[in-house]
Each structure stands twice: as C-alpha cells, then as structure tokens.
Amino acid sequence: MSGEARSDALKLNSPRAATPDSWREGFGVIARILRLTFEHPWQVTFAIGGAMVAAILQLMIPKLLGHAVDQTQAIVDGGGVTRASLWVTAALLLVVSVLRGGFTMVQNYFAEAVGHHVAYRLRLSYYEKIQRLSFSFHDQVHSGDLITVGMLDLEGVRMFFSTGFVRAAFLAMMIGIGAFLLLTTNFVLGLLALSFVPFVAWRSSAARLKLRAAWLTLQEWLGVLTRAMDENLSGIRVVRAFAAQRHEMAKFDKLSQHTLGLQYERIGIRVRNTSMMTFSFFIAMGLVLLVGGQKVIAGEITVGTLTSFLAFMTILQLPVRQLGMMVNSFARASTCGARLFEVLDLNDEIGEAGDAPELAVGDGTLEFEAVDFAYPAAPDKPVLKGISFTAHRGQTIGIVGPPGSGKTSVASLLPRFYDVTGGSIRIDGRDIRSVALASLRRAVGVVQQDSFLFTTTIENNIAYGDPWAEGATIERASESAQLHTYIKNLPQGYSTLVGERGVSLSGGQRQRLSIARILMLKPPFIVFDDSTAAIDAATEQRIRAEMREVAGDSVTLIIAHRLSSLKHADEILFLEDGEVVERGTHDELIALGGRYKALSDLQGQPDDADLEDTKDDRDVENERHAVRQG
Amino acid sequence: MSRTSDTPFDRAEALRAAGKRPPRATVGSHVDREEVFGRMFDGNVVKRLWSYVSPYRKLVFISIAAVLVFTATQLALPLVIRYAIDTGMAAGDPHPGALAWAGVAFAIVILINFAASYVQENVVGRAAENMLFDLRRAMFEHLQHISLSFMDKTEVGRLMSRLQGDVSSMQEFLENSVLSIGDIVLLIGIVCVMLALNVWLGLLTLVVIPVLFVVRIVWLPRARVAFMAAHEANSITNGALAEAINGVRAVQGMDRQRVNATLYDDKARYNLETHLKSARYAQLMVPVVDTLTGIAMAVVIVGGGTMITTGTLDVGVMVAFIFYIQRFFDPIRSLTLQYSVMQRAMASGQRILEVMDVPVSVTDKPDAKVLPADNDGSVDFENVTFGYDPKRPVLKNVSFRVNPGETVALVGPTGSGKSSAMALVHRFYDVQHGTVRVGGHDVRDLTQESLGRQVAMVLQEPFLFTGTVFENVRYNNDAATREEVRRACEAVGAHDFVMALPDGYDTQLSQGGGSLSLGQRQLLSFARALIADSKLLVLDEATANIDSYTELQIQKALERLLEGRTGLVIAHRLATIRGADRIIVLREGEVVETGTHGELMRLNGMYAKLYSLNYASFDDAARELAAMSGT
C-alpha cells in the first residue's frame, strides 16, 4: 500500500511529471503495463482462464445447494426422488468445490507470477538505466526519490496484474453470469438480491480512492515525523548542548498529534464505509428473505430456490466489496507506473554514436581548447570560460583557485561526466565526444572528492575497477597509496568489511583507498579532484613519489586548494570565476606576486607546509590501533 | 601506453560471455537479520506494555463488548433464516405472521450488527493509534535523556526502527487482538449453535475443523520460511539498487556498469525465484480449504438430507448449516495468521523494552536551582575524576579554573580527555569524584535546562536541522527576533552568503544543510551560539579540512564570538591556541602544563616541544611527539 507514499516525490524536469494528470495519460500507462504483462502470454492465459473457470464453478455451488434442498423436500413429499440422487448432488458439490479450489489456485499463482516476472524485467531495466544516467541527472534528482521509485513504485506496477486486472476479469464473470442466473430464475427476487451491488460497488470505490488520498497525506506527514525524529537522534548532542529537549518534544508532539488526527480521519472513512456496505448487503438479504418467503408460501418458488438466492448473495458479497481494491490498484498503478516509466524513458544525456570507435591512446597528449562549460541545470551560469591547456605524457597540470572558481568542473569534463558547452577536449588530437564512452572512462581515472565505499571487503573495494585483479596487484596499489600498513594491521587484513555495515574509515583513509583504486588500473590519464585534502602532506609526498614510479608516463591533473599538493606541477592554472587568471610554474607564480602568491602567504610558509598534517582523530586512533596490533 | 586487446576488461568480457562472474565483485550486501519472531507469549513484555494500554482500557473493553455483540448477530442471522423457513414457509401449513416476525427480527439483528461493527472498528482503531502514539512518545522522550555514551554506541537507524517498525507491530497486534477475540467467540459460537441445532449432524460436519487445524500447523512453519526468504531477497535486491544509486558516480567513474548489471541480475533472479516459491506456498492452502468446505457441504447434504427424509431434521436447519459452513473457515484462517502477528509483537516488545530500560544517567535534583543569567561565567574543575567506565578514568584528579572573561585553550593529543572535560561542563555525565562548577555553582545543583541555556556550546561537527536558516540560528530561543538573528549572522560573517541563498533567511535547509559548505555550516553554528548570548562559551574547534579562504573567515568569526565572554576552547589550530589568554595542556587525563603561550615556551616542556614541531594541528604534533619519545 505504501507505494504511492509521495504523490510528487520525483520532480524531474517538469513538475507535472509526478502523476498522470489526465485520464488518457493514465490509460496510456495502464496500457503499457499490460503490454509488459502480455510478454508472458501463457501465464496470462492461465491466470485469466483460471479466474473465469473459478468464477463459473463458484456460481454453481449455490445452485447445487438449492437443488439439494429441493431434492430433500421432494423425497419427503414422495415425488419419486430417491436418496441416491442426494449422493449425486453431494458428490457433484464436492467435485465442484475441489475444482474451484484448484482453479483459484491457478488463477492466483499465475497472476502473482506474471507480476513478479514483469517486476524482474523492470528491475533490471531500471537498474541499468540508473547506472547509465548522467551526472547532471543525478545532481538534480534526490537519490532517496530514485530509491523509492525503484522499490515502491515498481511494487505498485507489479501488483497491478493480480489485484487489478485479473480481479476485474473475475468480477466481470461473477457479476455478469451471477446476475443472469438470478434474473432468469426469478426476475423480482433477482433484482432484490442484486440491489446491494451498485451501492456497494460505488461506496467501496469511492472509499478506496478517498482512503488513498488520506493515505498519501498521512504518508507525507509520517515522512516529516520520521525526519524530525531522525534528525533529533543524529543531532542529539546539539539538542543536549542547548538543553532543547522541551523544544524538541514540542516539535515532536505537534507533528505526532497531527498524524494522529490524520489516522483518526482514515479510520473514520474506513469504518463508515465498511459498516454501510455490510448494512446494505444485509438489507438486501432481508428483503430477499421476506419477499422470497412470500413467494414460497404462494408456491411460486421452492425453498431450495430461495436458499440458492441467499447463498448466491453470500458468495457475491466479498468480490463486490473488493471492487474498491481493484479500482485502487488501477489508480495506484497509473501513478506509480507514470513515475517509473518517466525514468526509464529518459535519454542518456551523454550520448555516443553507435559506431563510435574505441579510444586508442597513442602519444597520450591531452588538450583543452577554449573549453566553456555550464551545468545543464543552470545553462546561463557559465562555470568555465575559455580554458585551454596542453599536457603531454608524464606531465602534471595543477589547478587551484578559490571555492566556486570551477576547479572541480574541470575534473568532471575529462571523463565526460558532463559535456563541454563550448570548445573541445582532445586526446591525441581526437575529440573525446567521438570515441566510445566506456573506452574513454577506462583511459581516465578520476580520484573523486568523496570516495564512495561499497559494502564489501577492503580488497574488493580497491579492485572495484577491475574485479578480476590478483591479490598481489591489489596490495601493490595499496602500498603505493600508503594504505598497505594500515590494512595489514587490521585483524582481518584485506578481508575486512567496510562500507555501511563495516569498519568505518577516516576521511584520509578513504581518500587513500580511492587513490589505490585508480593506481591499480594504471590509466593513461589520472585526475585528482581535491582528493588529497584529508591526507597529511608528508604522506601525500610519498604517494606522489610512488606515482612517479608506477604511473610515471600518465598525464596527471591535480585539483587542490593546498598548494603543497601541486607545487611540483609542470604548469599551474589559477582559476577565478571560471577563467584562468594566472598560469605558470610554482616559482613563476610566486615571482609574479599575484593571487597565487597571496594564497601561498595565507597558507603559511609553503616549505613548512610540507609537514602540515590534517589527519583527523579517527586516523590517529586507527593508526595507533594498527601500531599496537603490529 | 596504448591498450592492447589483453586488458582486464577484455578478459572480463570473455569470461562474462562464458557465464563466469568476477571473483572480487559484489553488489549490495546481506542484511543484518533481526530476530523477527519472539516467543509466542512473553508475560513480562505483556505486563509492562499493559501500562500503555491501560489508559485506554475503557475503550478496549468497549470494543471487546462490541465485538461480542457483533459476533452474536452473525450467529443469529442463519437462525432467523431457519425460523423463516421452518415456521414461516413450512410446507403445507405456514404459520401466519411468522414470516413478518422473521423480517422484524432480521431488521433488528442487522441494525445491532451495524452499530456494533461501527463501534468496534472505530474504537479499537483509535485505541491502538493512541497507544502507538503514547508508546512512541515515551520512547522518544526517554531517548532525549539517556546517557550520551549509549547514543554514541547505537546507530540512529537502529533506534529509528524501534520507534517505527517495532511500535507499529505492537499497534498491529493490539488491533488484531480484539478481532481475534471475535474470531474465537465466533468459532465457538458456530460449534455450539450447530451442536444445539442437531448434535449428530453437527459432529459430522465439524470433523473437518481439526483437519484444517492440523494442515495449517504443518504448513505454517514451512510457508513462513518461504515467506521470510522472499522478504529477505527483496531487501537484498533493494539494498543493491540503493547502493547503485548512492554510488553511481564511483560506478560510472570506474566503468563498472556492465559487471554490476550482471551481478544485479543474479540477485533479481533469486528474488524472483523466492517470490514464486512463496506464492506457491501461499496458494497451496486455497484448494485445501475449498476441498474441506466441499466435504462439509456434502456431509450436510447427505447426512442432513437423510435426516430430513426420516423426519428427524427440518429443512431450515439444513439451510442454516450451509450458511455456518460458509463462515467457519474464516476464523481459523485469521487465528493462525494472528499467531505470527503475536510472535512478531513479542519480539518487538522485547526490543522496545530494551530501549526503555537504558537508564537515564543524569537527572535534576528535586531542589535543583536555576543558573541565573547574570552568573559570572567562570568554570571551576576541582579534583575532578571521571571515566565512562569508572574503572578506567579519562580525567584524573583534574583541577583548573577559567576566570570570567578569559579564553582558555585546552590542548592535548586525542584521548587526553579534552572532549570529556567539555562534556562535564555541560553535565552530559556526572563526575565520579570532585566538583565541576559553572558561575560558582556545582553543576549537579542546577537544572540541566538552565545550564544548557547559560552555557553556549559549539560542536566540532556543525549540525543543522531541517527548517529555515532563521529557525536554525535561533534554535531553542524562540524569543530571538529576525533583527537579532541577522545581527548575529553579520557578526560571524554569515550574513552575505545567507542573503545569497534563494530565500535569504527563509531558505529551507534540507538534509542537515547539505547544500551549504562545511565552512558555511560552521559559521551558522557560531551564529547560533551567539544568539544564545551566554556568559560562557564552550567550543570544540573543527578539525575537518577547510580551504584557506574559509579558514580565515572562521578565525575572524571566532574572535568575534569570544569577545566579552568566558571561553573554554578545545583548540586544534595554532592560530587559536596562540590567541588564547591561557593554555592548559592535558595528557592522559592529567593537566601537565598551564600558562600563556610565552610562559609555556619559556618552560620548555611538552608544549614547547609540540610547538617546535610546527604542525598546523596540535593533535598530530602530540602524536608525533609520543612516537618520538617511544622510539
């Protein structure tokens, strides 16, 4: 039920994308879901066929019961009916019951199975889509929303076939044939017996839709309450420091009271409707009993016919009540499906021509030529303006500048996380947009700012880019990244679990891990995106020395705010507001006495800064631990 | 460095085609499985949780009464029908007026049924919601007061699942319990009525009930294993999806899309298989129940029919039997389901009580005083000994004083006890020996609330709540005006970037201020401390890496913040330490040196050595020193 928790959670580029706002759009979504389900024709046939046979068998039961009552009456009256005929009816009833059970099982199982198969396909498509969508998409869409689409909306689509479509087929059979049988047997009594159907169908659908709306509001508020509690617990130190418990409880109470009110409302809607539906059904039953009784007395119908009418009604009652669930399932599938398909239908913004050739790195010369760039979300705010530089094999380019100067954007352009908006980036004279994306990404290793740890062992994390790597290769890379000693001293060494549920690493250790990841791949182009900030200067120097050895002929791009990180670069670009304002070697720039020099002065004597150490406490703690173990 | 065809990726491609998986690749992870089911019945849990039900016991009793009435009406309806058939439509001599009486009786019964069902569902729903509300509130409030060391050790996610998942499984239990009472009564009622109508036919028909019970008891544990497996497979698959979304930048950066898609396919396929299996188990019961119903009906027809022909049974009774049979499988189904609900509730209850049992470490004395706003802002540590574990003190007999208006820097390596000293000023914990005084009062004699209001604290990690900038800055000080907030922000140099936000001070900060930089969040937390306008400021300097431009801003803001206040600063940066009036050097829980920068340098002790190492961060210098003296 919780699939439709957020009516407008996924706000992609247009706000109307959240829910299909017209009937036609809604039907379009439903039609698409049905197309997906009909990719499993046999199972669909079994489900719907099972539903139809089960409905017919179900309708036979009241008939047989009425028949049995009449038979006994006839035996009593001595109308030439033998007791053996009772046995026949009983046996028939048993067979019909068993068959009904069997066909219902077939119907339910295959309806579920179709849903699960569709869900399986959608899951894979969604996963692959998410992995391919560009960085700019992921920048704009909240990851939590994507997760809910992939979990809950997918669930809404999955449930559609069994709770919506097959049920609709079953109900149509039941009510259609049931009505026909009742009305042909006795028109007036049939009308009375069916009188509750339209009312209950209407109430149940209306109530379901109302409940759904109430549920959506409730979920939204529960989300707010959850966030408030979560924040309180995460920030409990702030709460205690400001002695703000009362303030926090007041906040909690306000939200909690509000959700309680919504719960009351929801209970109210539900109760009013279920009681009303039961009541209307019983009224109809009472009328059938009364009118039918008179007809029995008048000799128009038999007691058996009356019994079969009453039994019919009991059997019809439940499916008619479930009409609301069916309507709900349609409504849910159309909104959930709309959100899901919206993501699946997105174009990969970073496109490549189908026949784009693999990138073959020869000389390994990298050229930025008059590169302009603006993020797709803000196309009129240029981030980089006319950036040009050339780097040959083995060279290092340093990029520095104040926050917001566009440093990091440079790092994202080379592997085509984003595309340039003007100018071009070339490798060996070839525009990077003209080669196969995967081959480009393999040639460019980016040590990213926040290194994401996957929930697996340390060694698998290092080998993330090459999961076939040998243990020795991994250790070599982690030695180069100055991580080996630390890992060796962990109780489980390279098999230590890290990530969400594993050992937590300090900022510096995480950065060293991502350096090891890239060094292991030995790519011809390496980009450090401000990724040594949490590593102390001395360790960084050791890593640089190692790099000269293992990746000496790579082109290295270092983006940093600590000058000691890029002091030795062949060329340093000082960026400000997306433009290169100063360029040259470290000594040239110091001699220039401009912005670079000012930054250098701000950071203290640059030579002493070699020793600058910014490890955090956890680093110290871990290393101590490692030393003790060693 | 041109790539030949023998790259790891080509190898991978070849092996993948052969159906092999990379040995070092995984997606997602296994979930920690919590004990889902507890004991069937745990008297202790029930007894303690009863106190949350008991305020609503009137409602509970009302709904139980309503359930009983409701059940009675359900039992009565087939009897009315029987009366109508046997008396009103008796072949040959129908009793005049009997049918009308049956109609009246029917009307009365269904009216009562309507009222009872309305009352029952409404009342039980409300009672359960209220209980949930109270239980969650009690737990949440408890968490506001229990010891911080417990909070440090426990993941927030775990606590959240207590507050949500466990609480709602208790609610589900309560709501269902009342309905189960109805089920039990209905089942017993049907049995009694059937036996009363006709003992032999009743006994014959009821034979199927034990059969169903046995079948379900055999089926349930197996089915549950299948259901759990499906549930778990689902979490694992969703976990892998979440990982792919959160780590998408790393995935694309290292070109792992294809490997991951293959691995995810394995998980999704397993998920599919377990779900199909669990669907098979779930559907298995359908033909069983239908077959048993068929048997019962056949028995009634043959047995009842025979009795009618021999004149020992009325037709109406047979019809009534048929109606009862349609009903009597429902209670058995819901009762066996209720069994799982109950087990789950017991496990949840246990976990809820575990949280409730964590002791509140620090409480106000009954005669606790309010720390006046005009206290002098001094801090005194007198022979303070403290340890989170009393056997292993973190602070040993520490004494020092911070005079009004003075800024004192606490310096020392990690684990020297700086942070603990800071926590004691706020009375996050109680000392084992000695006294901590703020403004001349023992902190244990003061109300925690007034202490919190008079001592401003800035934590190392700036934490912002969801809400506007304005609400965050004036946090817990509802009296602060917009003008005051603006002035505080101006003072710490935050005003300019706040104004640059889309809605200025009314900009909503989401996800802990994730849209702001670390430096900006730090400045806002300074503004928050400034708004508190207290005499005493306790500050833990951020160690996180901040670029030089921002650092300069923070340094200026810090100077402004300490103006005219007593300051106790856990200092990491040299600039802050040099700017302090006095420096206290801690080492392994003891004060080793005290004095101004000049004095300590002349003393040529530990501080001087640390300083000569010329580190930007003092903690690391201290670590280096320890390493040097060790070798």
Side-chain angles (χ1 to χ4, degrees), chain B residues 232-303:
Chain B
E232 210 175 319
N234 208 39
S235 321
I236 290 172
T237 316
N238 285 334
L241 175 68
E243 188 189 75
I245 291 171
N246 291 324
V248 69
R249 288 172 176 79
V251 170
Q252 293 196 8
M254 280 174 278
D255 192 42
R256 260 284 287 265
Q257 292 96 312
R258 271 177 305 166
V259 173
N260 285 2
T262 318
L263 295 169
Y264 184 75
D265 184 24
D266 294 344
K267 301 222 156 164
R269 192 173 288 277
Y270 175 71
N271 184 39
L272 172 66
E273 280 157 13
T274 51
H275 273 93
L276 293 181
K277 188 173 174 192
S278 105
R280 279 195 287 275
Y281 264 107
Q283 294 308 323
L284 206 62
M285 275 321 277
V286 174
V288 172
V289 170
D290 279 354
T291 304
L292 291 175
T293 315
I295 292 172
M297 285 191 295
V299 165
V300 169
I301 287 170
V302 174

Side-chain angles (χ1 to χ4, degrees), chain B residues 180-230:
Chain B
S180 321
I181 293 175
D183 283 330
I184 294 172
V185 174
L186 182 63
L187 191 62
I188 297 173
I190 289 177
V191 171
C192 291
V193 174
M194 281 172 118
L195 292 176
L197 285 175
N198 189 298
V199 180
W200 288 112
L201 192 58
L203 281 178
L204 267 176
T205 317
L206 293 173
V207 175
V208 297
I209 289 188
V211 176
L212 185 62
F213 258 116
V214 170
V215 171
R216 277 195 81 92
I217 284 166
V218 174
W219 168 84
L220 196 64
R222 283 153 233 267
R224 208 163 61 193
V225 171
F227 297 161
M228 289 293 298

Side-chain angles (χ1 to χ4, degrees), chain A residues 65 69 72-73 75-76 83 86-87 90 93-94 97 100-101 108-109 113 116 120 123-124 127 130-133 135 138-139 142-143 151 226 230-232 235 237-238 240-249 252-253 256 263-264 267 271 275 279 282 286 290 293-294 297 306-307 310 314 361 393 402-403 441-442 448 454-456 459-460 464-469 471 474 501 517 522 533 553 561 599 603 608 613 615 617 620 624, chain B residues 1-2 8-9 12 15 22-26 29 77 88-89 99 103 106 110-111 114 117-118 121-122 125-126 129-130 133 137 140-141 143-146 148 152 156 160 164 238 243-246 248-249 251-252 254-258 260 264-265 269 271-272 275-276 280 283 290 294-295 297 301-302 305 308-309 315 319 322-323 414 426 428 449 452 457 459 463 465-466 475-476 511 528 545 547-549 614-615 617 619-620 623:
Chain A
L65 288 172
V69 171
T72 50
Q73 204 84 14
I75 297 168
V76 175
R83 277 192 209 167
L86 267 186
W87 282 93
L93 200 56
L94 181 57
S97 292
R100 182 187 71 155
N108 289 347
Y109 174 73
H116 285 300
Y120 165 72
R123 248 186 251 284
L124 285 191
Y127 186 86
I130 289 293
Q131 284 201 113
R132 270 204 315 273
L133 283 169
F135 276 35
H138 287 286
D139 291 345
H142 193 286
S143 59
M151 284 169 54
T226 303
D230 190 83
E231 271 183 7
N232 169 285
R237 282 183 176 270
V238 181
R240 302 273 174 106
F242 284 84
Q245 282 101 330
R246 246 193 277 168
H247 172 85
E248 289 289 310
M249 285 313 290
F252 171 85
D253 280 343
S256 193
Q263 291 280 22
Y264 270 28
I267 293 171
V271 171
S275 315
F279 191 55
F282 279 144
L290 213 58
Q294 272 156 0
I297 296 169
L306 180 61
T307 309
L310 293 174
T314 339
V361 182
R393 181 188 277 202
R441 298 240 168 114
R442 274 179 246 143
Q448 281 162 356
F454 294 90
T455 308
T456 176
E459 76 187 320
N460 289 358
Y464 198 77
D466 177 11
W468 303 88
I474 297 170
R501 278 176 264 273
R517 268 179 187 167
K522 297 201 174 73
D553 55 359
H561 62 70
L599 179 61
Q603 292 188 2
D608 291 336
D613 193 325
K615 284 181 186 177
D617 288 0
V620 177
R624 267 201 191 160
Chain B
M1 284 213 49
S2 79
F9 306 96
L15 287 162
R24 298 190 183 282
T26 51
S29 65
L77 280 179
M89 311 168 211
L99 193 60
F106 200 93
I110 64 174
L111 272 173
F114 175 66
S117 100
Y118 190 87
E121 285 203 44
N122 217 351
R126 283 170 183 233
E129 283 302 336
N130 272 299
F133 177 83
R137 189 180 193 284
F140 187 70
E141 183 157 40
L143 288 172
Q144 303 303 308
H145 297 284
I146 59 184
L148 273 179
D152 289 343
V156 172
M160 286 304 291
Q164 292 182 300
N238 285 334
E243 188 189 75
I245 291 171
N246 291 324
V248 69
R249 288 172 176 79
V251 170
Q252 293 196 8
M254 280 174 278
D255 192 42
R256 260 284 287 265
Q257 292 96 312
R258 271 177 305 166
N260 285 2
Y264 184 75
D265 184 24
R269 192 173 288 277
N271 184 39
L272 172 66
H275 273 93
L276 293 181
R280 279 195 287 275
Q283 294 308 323
D290 279 354
I295 292 172
M297 285 191 295
I301 287 170
V302 174
I308 290 170
T309 51
V315 180
V319 175
I322 288 169
F323 281 101
T414 311
H426 243 83
F428 283 171
E449 170 138 24
M457 196 173 200
L459 300 160
F463 187 92
F465 294 89
T466 299
Y475 182 69
N476 197 30
Q511 297 190 43
R528 182 154 68 189
N545 191 271
D547 69 82
S548 319
Y549 300 90
N614 204 359
Y615 272 72
S617 157
D619 291 21
D620 299 311
R623 184 176 61 87

